[in-house]
Amino acid sequence: KLLYATPTRIFYAATLAIYVINCNDFSIEKILTGHTQAITDFCVPLYSSSLLISCAMDKTIRVWDIEKGIEVKCLTYEWIPLALDSQPS
C-alpha cells in the first residue's frame, strides 16, 4: 500500500486505484482508476501539484489530472516500472 500527503490532501494507493482524500473532512475527492494490475508507486511532481504520476504491474506509467480526476496520458513499456521519481525539468 502506498501513501503520500500534502497539507490539503492525502493520496492512498490500493491495488488498482488511487484515492484522493480531503484533509479537512477526510472525504474522498476523487478515485483514480485505470491500471489493470497492482500499482507499484506514484508521485506528485514537484513542478505541478495538479498532476499525479503512477506506475503499475500492467507495464504502464499514467499521468493524472488530480483536479479533474482523469487520466491525461498513458505510456506502455516492455518492462514493469517499479518506482518513480519526479524531478523538475
Side-chain angles (χ1 to χ4, degrees), residues 15-70:
T15 304
L16 297 177
I18 298 170
Y19 293 83
V20 181
I21 301 166
N22 182 302
C23 284
N24 292 325
D25 60 6
F26 298 103
S27 63
I28 296 173
E29 289 183 3
K30 305 280 191 268
I31 301 174
L32 309 175
T33 60
H35 286 293
T36 59
Q37 293 185 27
I39 296 167
T40 55
D41 199 10
F42 71 89
C43 66
V44 175
L46 298 173
Y47 57 83
S48 178
S49 62
S50 65
L51 295 178
L52 183 142
I53 304 168
S54 61
C55 61
M57 299 293 287
D58 60 6
K59 300 181 181 178
T60 64
I61 294 177
R62 297 172 192 259
V63 180
W64 307 88
D65 180 314
I66 298 169
E67 302 305 321
K68 295 178 183 174
I70 59 170

